[in-house]
Amino acid sequence: LEKILLNGELVNRKIAIDIEDRGYQFGDGVYEVIGVYNNIAFKLEEHLERLFESAEKINMDIELTIKQLKEKVLKLKKENLLKDGLIYVQVTRGITRRNHAYLDNKIKPNLIAYVLHQNRLPSEVYQNGVPVILTKDIRWLRCDIKSLNLLPNVLAKQNAIEKGAFEAILYRNDNITITEGSSTNVFVIKDKTIYTHPANNYILNGITRQIILDICIKLNLKVQEIEFSKSFLLNADEVFISGTYIDIVPVSRVLGEDVEFTNQKSITFKLMKELNKLTMSI
Ligand code: PDD
């Protein structure tokens, strides 16, 4: 029987969520998604560190140490015999009588975690790449927080899927700057230099993104963490997206635009190979 983690205890999945849990009513909470490869929770500590950072940014106290939570998450994984898939962890601010302000700093946060058994994407996806759409970034100005409020991301991804694309790449309305995907980071390569949006309030600083930047340093590849425009992306040599468990996925074309990234994905493939070594070896 499937077990979930509820405030530190492993319990059966069927639990009741209070209708006044602030996560349920306001999206008042934060979350993380961790990939599990062949029994190994990849970069678990980094993900939990980001969870605590997100919580701190919304003035929420998780009431556990990272080490304690790590142990409990690993127990959850073991109990459910998760070999390949995802671990989802979320913390909401807890239960209050409905009121936008939470007023009381002593509300007990609710932490849940559960596992999703899931296969990796098929190898053709990594070989051929995926189509994407470009769509307006209508999110708030604190995208560095991995908050439960995902409505703009949900709508963007739905729009992409309905159009036959794999991901929606977002651009800000003001100056047509590409920020990131609805649930991925975006990289473009032009003249052997790798470009990605700086890690500021406009994007989530992906764990995969950070690993890729480390690989670039190791391989002596030129990287620019700077803003770039929609037309820069459309004129790039290679484009790829990154995220937990999907790792690096090449972009083959942008639907609705007369562009295809048909040339060799040589740098993308090089980075994929290095990232694979990390996910498969540890
Ligand atoms: N999403 N940008 C956004 C908006 C994201 O939601 C994610 C991850 C990323 C990539 O971050 P990382 O490499 O740390 O997974 C970038 C997760 C997987 C999700 O919401 O399901």
Side-chain angles (χ1 to χ4, degrees):
L1 196 63
E2 190 183 343
K3 295 280 186 202
I4 67 160
L5 187 63
L6 173 67
N7 295 328
E9 304 296 325
L10 284 179
V11 299
N12 290 333
R13 180 171 171 152
K14 277 209 167 30
I15 56 160
I17 304 290
D18 194 288
I19 53 169
E20 285 187 320
D21 183 286
R22 296 184 60 88
Y24 183 63
Q25 281 197 331
F26 296 107
D28 187 355
V30 294
Y31 78 104
E32 273 300 325
V33 182
I34 302 119
V36 174
Y37 303 78
N38 202 14
N39 280 320
I40 307 290
F42 187 58
K43 302 283 171 187
L44 175 57
E45 216 155 291
E46 285 80 350
H47 280 280
L48 294 182
E49 273 165 20
R50 190 173 61 186
L51 181 74
F52 279 70
E53 281 165 22
S54 290
E56 203 177 308
K57 285 172 177 175
I58 64 164
N59 309 312
M60 207 174 78
D61 182 7
I62 293 185
E63 297 182 341
L64 278 173
T65 64
I66 294 184
K67 195 162 165 273
Q68 285 168 330
L69 182 55
K70 186 179 170 186
E71 273 161 26
K72 291 185 192 300
V73 166
L74 288 174
K75 209 167 143 203
L76 169 80
K77 175 178 79 69
K78 196 167 168 207
E79 184 84 10
N80 289 287
L81 308 171
L82 178 66
K83 190 164 174 284
D84 294 287
L86 303 166
I87 303 171
Y88 178 86
V89 186
Q90 82 165 35
V91 192
T92 71
R93 199 181 302 275
I95 302 162
T96 56
R97 179 189 158 87
R98 188 177 184 280
N99 185 335
H100 283 64
Y102 47 90
L103 302 173
D104 185 358
N105 261 326
K106 299 275 177 300
I107 310 162
K108 218 183 122 25
N110 272 327
L111 185 149
I112 64 108
Y114 75 112
V115 305
L116 289 133
H117 296 267
Q118 194 167 302
N119 292 328
R120 310 285 319 281
L121 291 171
S123 59
E124 307 89 76
V125 166
Y126 293 103
Q127 209 52 43
N128 304 334
V130 294
V132 299
I133 58 163
L134 297 181
T135 180
K136 222 184 262 181
D137 191 342
I138 57 167
R139 299 174 302 164
W140 71 332
L141 301 174
R142 291 304 305 275
C143 297
D144 54 310
I145 301 171
K146 205 159 172 55
S147 127
L148 294 177
N149 284 284
L150 289 174
L151 196 47
N153 309 62
V154 165
L155 295 177
K157 184 80 92 187
Q158 180 66 22
N159 186 13
I161 302 302
E162 282 175 8
K163 291 190 165 127
F166 179 87
E167 176 62 303
I169 290 181
L170 310 175
Y171 60 89
R172 295 201 78 83
N173 196 18
D174 47 5
N175 56 359
I176 58 164
T177 300
I178 298 284
T179 50
E180 60 180 336
S182 72
S183 64
T184 55
N185 290 114
V186 175
F187 292 76
V188 311
I189 301 160
K190 181 77 181 169
D191 299 330
K192 299 201 161 52
T193 300
I194 297 152
Y195 296 82
T196 194
H197 194 285
N200 58 22
N201 60 304
Y202 292 117
I203 67 159
L204 182 78
N205 187 7
I207 305 296
T208 322
R209 175 188 182 278
Q210 295 170 50
I211 300 168
I212 292 167
L213 293 177
D214 287 344
I215 294 174
C216 290
I217 291 171
K218 200 186 115 196
L219 296 184
N220 249 320
L221 295 167
K222 266 184 265 162
V223 178
Q224 295 265 24
E225 288 180 75
I226 56 168
E227 291 188 353
F228 56 86
S229 69
K230 232 161 87 171
S231 64
F232 188 77
L233 180 142
L234 294 172
N235 287 296
D237 301 324
E238 304 177 37
V239 177
F240 68 84
I241 54 176
S242 74
T244 288
Y245 209 53
I246 67 164
D247 299 334
I248 292 175
V249 176
V251 170
S252 57
R253 61 201 190 100
V254 180
L255 300 181
E257 304 279 346
D258 196 16
V259 209
E260 261 186 73
F261 304 103
T262 45
N263 48 337
Q264 293 171 1
K265 302 175 182 76
S266 54
I267 294 181
T268 306
F269 283 149
K270 212 182 268 180
L271 295 171
M272 286 164 73
K273 202 172 137 201
E274 290 299 313
L275 183 53
N276 265 337
K277 276 192 214 162
L278 294 177
T279 56
M280 292 303 140
S281 67
I282 54 119

